[in-house]
Amino acid sequence: MKEIANESALALGPEQRHSPLNSKASIPNTSSGQVEVFDAVVIGAGFAGLYALHRLRDQMGLSARVFDVASDVGGTWYWNRYPGARCDIESIHYSYSFSAELQQEWTWSERFSAQPEILRYLNHVADRFDLRKDIQFNTRITSLVWNEKNKFWEVGTNDGIIARGKYIIAGTGNLSVAKAPEFKGVENFKGEVYLTGNWPHEGVDFTGKRVGVIGAGASGIQAITEIAKEAAHLTVFQRTPNYATPIGNAPMDTESTRQTKDHYAEIRTKSRNSFLGVPYDQVLPSALAVSAEERRRVYAERYVQGGFRLFIDSFADLLFNKEANETAAEFVRAKIRERVKDPKVADMLTPKDYPYGTKRPPLETNYYETYNRDNVTLVDIKSTPIEMITNQGIRTTSGEYELDAIVLAIGFDAITGPLLQMGIVGRNGLKLEDKWANGPLTYLGIASHGFPNLFFITGPQSPSVLYNMPLAIEDHVDFATDAIRYLRDHDLDTIEPTLEAETQWVAHAYDLSQQTLMPGTDSWYMGANIPGKPRVCMLYLGGAPAYRKICADVEANGYEGFTLDRTVAKSIATTT
Ligand code: NAP
């Protein structure tokens, strides 16, 4: 489910996309006034929700309804339509594995697909498995309240309760709540304002315009490269430079597509047995165990191969050892200096004060060369911060930049944000936002004590964004739906983690994070990009294979660490 800073003035819905951004999105509520009853309710119609619906309905024979605030399927790929939006895991890997037929019939045109192709794929999946008839679009879920007496969840919008479900699957995504802009005066700007995460469906023509982009993370970097080709002038307002490396995109050729299709099962197994969920297999133990020459060779090779190979498939100690990390960081810095002609601009683009990979490394095509264009200016807003947005443009402490359009690429309230805005209230009136006031508390990143029968798909303290999302999603949906099946097979009502198991899991995830370089950097992995958000690592950093083994053992041991209860056996349709 996509939420755009939902209480801010920047709550642009697809219905009202152009600036000035001075009014709230009005999200139609399709409630007919009747409370509908389902075995399971799924929130979100992206990769997670579509698969969850297929599994619950078609493979388990349960009644299920998906709700999404968008007017169509796609999740993150529905909303992020900004120029240059592209996946940075190879599409043959960033795709569903649950259906052999689907894998065989779908053919990707590029190694790393652009947003329109991924959205087409998700539409194809929705049609192929006849999913739309059980999805209610244009519906923002704002309350999920556990009914302890009757053991079901009441699902509501601002207009009241619309559904009941015994089980909730939260497929709300990790990057689906836009960060609210912190700039004074944005409402006074006379030009156009766009959010990368809620881009107009009909596109934007920047021809002849003076455009400012704030933010140089993964979204900004992709958008900047494309907007520069069109705008009369592009000014980039960058606070922290990133270690961006080439994505290595190319058209898919027939032979590699055939090879992939012939070996899909093995490829998926290999993916699931690798740290990041992609079948890279060249990682060497330590950057410090080889000569400087060998290191350079490895880095240069991975840099050209593209994808996340430099990050995850060069040396295994980059995220753990500062000295090892510095060798990779220095390699990337040298590449930036090589690619950007003006040494002053190159210096501004060079990250110096945090280790490589501790902020999510963006992937790019000709990003650095963009700064060699005459129509592009880089402004360092760390040394000269933005004072305000005026009616003419952006004013920093060093001057005012007149603009026709501003693009905000300022990121997301990641991982916990989408869950915390659904008004989740568990047993004994416990609000999720209160329970997580000092940071998320979960067992396996999939459930939380006090919130029975509620499953977070790729939730906090799971590998989530550090595990190829479609596979991470399938694993979590499988875990959740297997648990539901187990409850039903054993005539049980609820599943809920014990406090003890949760406490141990949180400590384990924390200990793992402390062994890495992550906690020292201000990143959205740490919640550090949102003012006031608790600063804790949101991820399980033990890698996908270790995590998958733990989940498999939990399941094999009859859901160890969970309490499974039988208390009522009423039909929820007849209770109030
Ligand atoms: P992001 O990585 O959080 O980057 C946000 C940018 O905005 C940063 O440069 C940040 O600067 C800047 N910013 C935020 N608030 C600011 C403020 N008040 N003043 C000045 N600058 C500010 O967000 P994102 O680029 O949208 O990417 C988020 C994640 O989405 C990525 O890391 C990735 O996981 C995912 N994503 C994936 C793809 C893909 O698959 N290809 C594409 C796009 C995004 P600081 O660094 O100084 O905070």
Side-chain angles (χ1 to χ4, degrees), residues 387-459:
E387 285 185 336
M388 67 181 298
I389 294 181
T390 65
N391 59 1
Q392 303 282 340
I394 294 176
R395 190 197 296 155
T396 72
T397 54
S398 68
E400 183 160 353
Y401 298 83
E402 287 189 15
L403 301 166
D404 303 306
I406 295 174
V407 174
L408 299 171
I410 55 175
F412 299 89
D413 182 355
I415 303 184
T416 51
L419 297 169
L420 289 174
Q421 66 170 26
M422 276 196 295
I424 299 177
V425 182
R427 273 193 297 110
N428 305 319
L430 178 63
K431 291 183 178 167
L432 191 66
E433 67 196 74
D434 290 340
K435 172 156 182 176
W436 289 7
N438 296 317
L441 302 171
T442 75
Y443 179 44
L444 305 174
I446 199 166
S448 190
H449 178 70
F451 300 86
N453 294 2
L454 168 60
F455 300 95
F456 313 126
I457 303 306
T458 68

Side-chain angles (χ1 to χ4, degrees), residues 33-55:
Q34 284 186 337
V35 177
E36 295 186 88
V37 177
F38 305 97
D39 293 318
V41 167
V42 179
I43 323 289
F47 266 97
L50 295 181
Y51 177 51
L53 175 58
H54 171 60
R55 188 136 159 99

Side-chain angles (χ1 to χ4, degrees), residues 85-106:
R86 182 180 295 284
C87 186
D88 45 21
I89 286 183
E90 289 88 338
S91 291
I92 55 167
H93 307 311
Y94 187 94
S95 48
Y96 288 119
S97 71
F98 71 84
S99 161
E101 296 77 22
L102 174 65
Q103 288 183 157
Q104 291 303 319
E105 72 199 19
W106 185 266

